[in-house]
């Protein structure tokens, strides 16, 4: 048995396996590796994204803190400690510009966590410890931290703001963490905080911006922060503030919902304005004196930047760097706004007036602007956090410094992911989520490189309802269900298949899909519409057409406008995914009375089965559809409440349904009629024969169609069989299908089960079990005798919240409930064609934590 546990280590116990990789207690290869994590940043303002000096981007995703390296295009660590949404993340920057070893985060669980790790290299991040800071009574919305001395990493000053209308000051010295002070703001809310030091001193200064349109400055005197000055000027809530040290001066940038950015300058009074006797115009200055240093400082408004047309949510200085024995601060500012733009500002070299240098952003699409933005450490890249959680990345070109091009970036769902499926050939996965999107992920095979990384390469469906389920109908076609009464069928356009071939390295000849006649080039959604309409080559890109007559009319009227398909050789950036990767909708299936809940397709791709939410037997019926005529074939009525999952047996002779009524039903395929196959109920459980006493959430079949598995909220997993159809009728099959295994106690509510189509070397079935707590367990099972035996089950891997160094340092499990598990039907890893690939299996999972994960499982280590 294997179990991941501890910090940065793998706990293991070898078991005899056929390939002899573990003999006499020798350590084997890790049985499970995390191949890919797809996620995005949380949809909150207040700084949930932070870019560190080592080039690693930290951001909050659901309850986790993700560390992602844009240069390598992959996640390098996942830290878990929060029990609710992460709202703010901040690297603790060193005053000498060295790489950081500490990160602080705050969340809706009312606590902050200070993360510290060992290892200075990008690929060697191993968590040493995490320290919780508890005291706030509401969600933490902003945080900042500074080292109080250059020599020690253990003398840290932290400021945090929360929805309880307080700002707390924390101190970490050695191993002691304590709250030094609580600043009360009455009925107001502080939306951002930032710490620095007064020019030429080690006296901390704290800036707080909130909903009163003012910036409150606090200076530490006699060990306590005292309100020293209030900076008015903004006319709406202040969203972001940040300090920057430039030589002997201190600059403060602030932005607000009044669409403006203000830059303030702090310097010693003696340097500010020498007394003159003339009547020259001088800037108004706010003066204060610090007792501890007996120094007078002056604050003046340096500039007001107007360029955005909507709320400005974030403003950040380009990071300082160490050069010629001192820290150098570039005078460049980055701002993000709800007007869908990010602007890079810099002062004119001659006049010193701050001007817009570069403007990037989103054009079109169903978006609402940006929450945040960040510079890379060297200022050559910028990242923006969009309203829907997506991260946009732009890189400065080497030839033209004023030209910025979009780059490949991590992406994923921004709400619960409800379902995930492999395509029949095992070359990509498709997922659907409550964020109303369907996303397609595939491996990127670079030419002349061995490394393969996974990326989102298409967004086939952007809907107006929360998505619930999907099923593949062949290689490039799927059916999806959402919180509506309609099933929608989608087929890949020609442009996608060409780009898929270029990105994955699979020749077009092997795909054979592009040869189908009449394929559209792409798809688009009309204004106020929900259906993806096909766009053919030569069509107007702004208007889809449905028939040749309309196409000819448009072509004659607008001969200069044509649809131009984009050929890609690498995964598309976010702005391309938003608009240019839709799949045409080819069919709608009407028949259900309530919202669709589950859908399945048989392995020959001829029949679809679907079910909707139901509280009565008449609505809980399963509907069968033909994939050739798209007509309703049959309605199967048995269950009294919602059918939660459907599964066809691999030989297509049986259909299994599990329900909220705590029972399952088995439907046998009869001789086909003129309209299509007919199914009749051949086995089921009821109040007297049921094993489960709570909702059955999930089910699946063994690859030989002899057994099926059920998993329930009652924490039980049961294997049933044998479903041998030879010489049986529906009546004697009712008696023959019974539990073939002992009840497996999973320890928590079972929300997902899946059985691999590939067996272990010794012929055991490989079973994956997903739990409501987010844990995933791998078991093997093989019937040893006529009666069920506990020894038939073997627990191989327990993927929990413990940290382990595998392909990267992370918590393997999901943070919230596992929604679906799906094994790749073939041996090997998608995108890999090496000799060792056959020892691997791949498991895809999705969860309520907004994540889609792909695991590599070593079948010889189970």
């Amino acid at each position: 048995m294997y179990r991941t546990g501890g910090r940065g280590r793998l706990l293991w116990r070898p078991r005899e396996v056929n390939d002899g990789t573990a003999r006499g207690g020798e350590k084997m290869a890790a049985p499970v590796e995390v191949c890919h994590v797809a996620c995005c940043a949380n949809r909150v303002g207040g700084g949930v994204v932070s870019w560190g000096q080592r080039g690693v981007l930290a951001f909050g995703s659901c309850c986790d803190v993700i560390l992602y390296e844009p240069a390598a295009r992959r996640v390098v660590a996942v830290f878990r400690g929060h029990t609710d949404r992460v709202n703010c993340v901040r690297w603790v920057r060193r005053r000498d510009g060295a790489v950081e070893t500490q990160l602080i985060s705050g969340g809706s669980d009312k606590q902050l966590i200070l993360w510290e790790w060992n290892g200075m290299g990008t690929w060697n991040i191993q968590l040493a410890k995490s320290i919780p800071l508890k005291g706030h009574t509401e969600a933490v919305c902003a945080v900042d931290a500074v080292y109080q001395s250059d020599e020690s990493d253990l003398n840290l000053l932290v400021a945090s703001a929360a929805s309880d209308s307080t700002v707390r000051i924390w101190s970490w010295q050695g191993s002691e963490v304590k709250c030094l002070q609580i600043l009360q703001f009455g009925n107001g809310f502080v939306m951002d905080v930032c710490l620095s030091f007064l020019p030429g001193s080690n006296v901390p200064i704290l800036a707080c911006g909130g909903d009163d349109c003012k910036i409150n400055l606090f200076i530490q005197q006699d060990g306590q922060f005292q309100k020293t000055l209030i900076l008015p000027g903004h006319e709406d809530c202040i969203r972001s503030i940040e300090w920057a040290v430039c030589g002997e001066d201190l600059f403060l940038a602030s932005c607000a919902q009044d669409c403006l950015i203000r830059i303030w300058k702090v310097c010693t009074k003696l340097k500010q304005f020498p007394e003159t006797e003339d009547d020259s115009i001088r800037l108004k200055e706010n003066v204060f004196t610090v007792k501890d240093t007996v120094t007078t400082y002056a604050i003046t408004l340096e500039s007001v930047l107007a360029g955005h047309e909507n709320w400005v949510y974030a403003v950040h200085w380009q990071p300082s760097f160490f050069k010629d024995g001192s820290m150098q601060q570039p005078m460049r500012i980055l701002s993000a706004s709800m007007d869908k733009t990010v602007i890079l500002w810099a002062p004119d070299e001659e006049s010193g007036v701050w001007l817009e240098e570069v403007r990037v952003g989103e054009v079109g699409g169903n978006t609402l602007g940006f929450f945040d933005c960040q510079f890379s450490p060297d200022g050559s890249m910028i990242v923006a956090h969009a309203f829907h959680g997506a991260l946009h990345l732009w890189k400065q070109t080497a030839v033209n410094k004023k030209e910025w091009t979009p780059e490949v970036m991590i992406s994923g769902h921004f709400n619960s992911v409800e379902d995930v499926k492999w395509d029949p050939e095992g070359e990509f996965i498709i997922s659907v989520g409550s964020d109303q999107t369907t996303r397609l992920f595939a491996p990127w095979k670079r030419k002349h490189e061995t490394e393969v990384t996974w990326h989102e390469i298409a967004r086939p469906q952007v809907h107006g309802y929360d998505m619930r389920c999907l099923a593949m109908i062949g290689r490039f076609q799927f059916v999806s269900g959402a919180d509506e009464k309609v099933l929608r069928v989608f087929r890949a356009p020609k442009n996608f298949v060409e780009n898929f071939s270029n990105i994955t390295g699979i020749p077009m000849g092997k795909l054979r899909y592009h040869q189908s006649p009449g394929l559209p080039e792409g798809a688009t959604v009309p204004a106020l519409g929900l259906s993806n309409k096909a766009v053919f080559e030569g069509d107007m890109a702004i208007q889809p057409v449905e028939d040749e007559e309309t196409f000819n009319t448009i072509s004659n009227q607008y001969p200069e406008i044509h649809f131009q398909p984009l050929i890609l050789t690498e995964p598309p950036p976010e702005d391309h995914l938003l608009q240019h990767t839709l799949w045409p909708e080819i069919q709608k299936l009407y028949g259900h009375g309530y919202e669709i809940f589950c859908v399945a397709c048989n392995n020959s791709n001829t029949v679809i089965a679907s079910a909707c939410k139901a509280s009565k037997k008449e609505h809980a019926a399963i509907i069968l559809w033909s994939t050739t005529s798209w007509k309703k074939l049959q309605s199967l009525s048995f269950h009294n409440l919602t059918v939660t999952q459907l599964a066809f047996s691999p030989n297509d002779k049986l259909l299994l349904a599990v329900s909220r009524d705590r029972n399952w039903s088995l439907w046998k395929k009869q001789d086909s009629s003129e309209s299509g196959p007919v199914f009749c109920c051949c086995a089921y459980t009821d109040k007297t024969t049921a094993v489960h006493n709570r909702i059955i959430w999930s089910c699946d079949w063994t690859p030989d169609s002899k057994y099926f598995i059920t998993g329930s909220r009652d924490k039980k997993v049961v294997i049933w069989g044998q479903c041998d159809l030879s010489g049986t009728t529906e009546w004697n099959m009712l008696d023959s299908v019974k539990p073939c295994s002992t009840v497996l106690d999973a320890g928590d509510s079972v929300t997902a089960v899946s059985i691999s189509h590939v067996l272990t070397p010794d012929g055991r079935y490989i079973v994956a079990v997903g739990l409501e707590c987010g844990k995933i367990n791998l078991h093997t099972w093989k019937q040893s005798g006529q009666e069920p035996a506990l020894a038939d089950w073997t627990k191989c891997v327990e993927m929990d919240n413990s940290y382990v160094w595998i392909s990267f340092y992370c918590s393997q499990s999901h943070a919230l409930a596992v929604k679906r598990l799906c094994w790749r039907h073939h041996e090997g890893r998608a995108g890999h064609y090496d000799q060792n690939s056959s020892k691997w299996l791949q498991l895809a999972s999705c969860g309520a934590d907004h994540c889609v994960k792909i695991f590599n499982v070593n079948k010889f280590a189970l």
Side-chain angles (χ1 to χ4, degrees), residues 405-427:
T405 58
E407 295 289 316
V408 178
M409 192 59 171
I410 187 174
S411 63
H413 294 272
F414 58 81
N415 211 332
S416 175
V417 189
E418 299 294 324
D419 203 352
V420 63
K421 291 289 188 296
W422 286 92
D423 83 288
E425 300 299 324
E427 291 162 350

Side-chain angles (χ1 to χ4, degrees), residues 40-50 58-66 79 81-91 103-113 115 136-144 159-164 189-193 239-240 313-314 316 371-374 385-386 414 850:
C40 70
N42 289 329
R43 298 176 62 196
V44 290
V48 76
V49 179
S50 184
F59 62 90
S61 179
C62 194
C63 306
D64 293 337
V65 177
I66 309 293
F79 293 157
H82 290 282
T83 57
D84 208 337
R85 185 183 65 187
V86 176
N87 295 327
C88 48
V89 175
R90 189 67 62 93
W91 289 101
L103 179 75
I104 192 163
S105 61
S108 295
D109 56 359
K110 309 173 187 178
Q111 69 171 339
L112 295 93
I113 297 181
W115 310 88
H136 283 291
T137 57
E138 294 294 340
V140 179
C141 57
V143 66
D144 195 24
S160 60
S163 299
D164 56 10
F189 294 98
V190 174
M191 297 182 178
D192 199 12
V193 294
R239 282 291 178 175
S240 178
Y313 257 85
H316 295 284
F371 276 134
D372 202 0
C373 56
Q374 290 278 321
H385 172 210
F414 58 81
H850 314 175

Side-chain angles (χ1 to χ4, degrees), residues 17 34 58 85 191 231 262 276 316 421 426 492 514 581 611 650 660:
V17 293
V34 182
R85 185 183 65 187
M191 297 182 178
L231 302 179
R262 289 176 174 260
T276 60
H316 295 284
K421 291 289 188 296
H514 70 292
T581 59
R660 296 180 72 99

Side-chain angles (χ1 to χ4, degrees), residues 90-94 100 102-104 114 145-147 156:
R90 189 67 62 93
W91 289 101
V92 183
R93 302 192 185 278
R94 295 172 177 266
E100 307 89 344
Q102 290 171 328
L103 179 75
I104 192 163
L114 182 64
V146 293
Y147 293 110
L156 195 64

Side-chain angles (χ1 to χ4, degrees), residues 453-557:
T453 54
W454 281 75
H455 302 273
E456 182 182 356
I457 67 168
R459 208 164 291 172
Q461 185 182 10
V462 179
H463 205 29
Y465 294 96
D466 291 359
M467 304 298 301
R468 289 289 167 228
C469 54
L470 87 156
M472 297 300 300
I473 312 174
R475 196 173 202 176
F476 293 115
Q477 188 169 285
F478 71 90
V479 57
S480 66
D483 282 344
E484 57 176 345
K485 304 174 184 179
V486 184
L487 287 160
R488 298 173 186 266
V489 184
F490 298 85
R491 182 181 296 161
K494 181 180 177 182
N495 182 238
F496 167 80
V497 180
E498 293 172 348
N499 291 335
F500 176 78
S501 174
N502 294 336
I503 294 170
T504 61
I506 302 173
M508 286 290 290
K510 289 187 177 181
L511 298 178
R512 298 179 183 175
Y513 182 76
H514 70 292
Q515 300 172 356
S516 304
L519 282 179
E521 287 290 342
T524 186
V525 180
L528 304 179
L530 289 176
S531 301
N532 296 355
K533 299 298 183 182
V535 179
F536 293 87
E537 187 174 1
D539 291 1
M540 290 178 60
I542 59 173
Q543 181 177 346
V545 296
E546 299 181 351
D547 54 61
E548 188 176 355
E549 182 180 355
T550 306
F551 165 70
N552 292 332
T553 301
I554 294 175
S555 298
N556 293 331
Q557 292 180 353

Side-chain angles (χ1 to χ4, degrees), residues 589-640:
L589 304 179
Y590 297 93
H592 288 290
Y594 291 93
E595 296 90 340
I596 305 297
F597 198 85
C598 61
V599 65
C601 182
N602 66 352
N603 294 278
S604 57
N605 303 318
T606 57
V607 178
I608 295 172
S610 61
C612 68
K613 294 180 181 178
S615 57
K616 297 180 181 179
K617 185 173 183 178
E618 58 189 277
H619 299 133
I622 303 164
I623 297 181
L624 302 183
W625 314 83
S626 168
T627 60
T628 54
S629 64
W630 301 115
K631 293 183 179 180
K632 180 178 175 180
L633 296 176
Q634 192 178 358
S635 180
L636 310 179
S637 181
F638 174 82
H639 293 284
N640 297 311

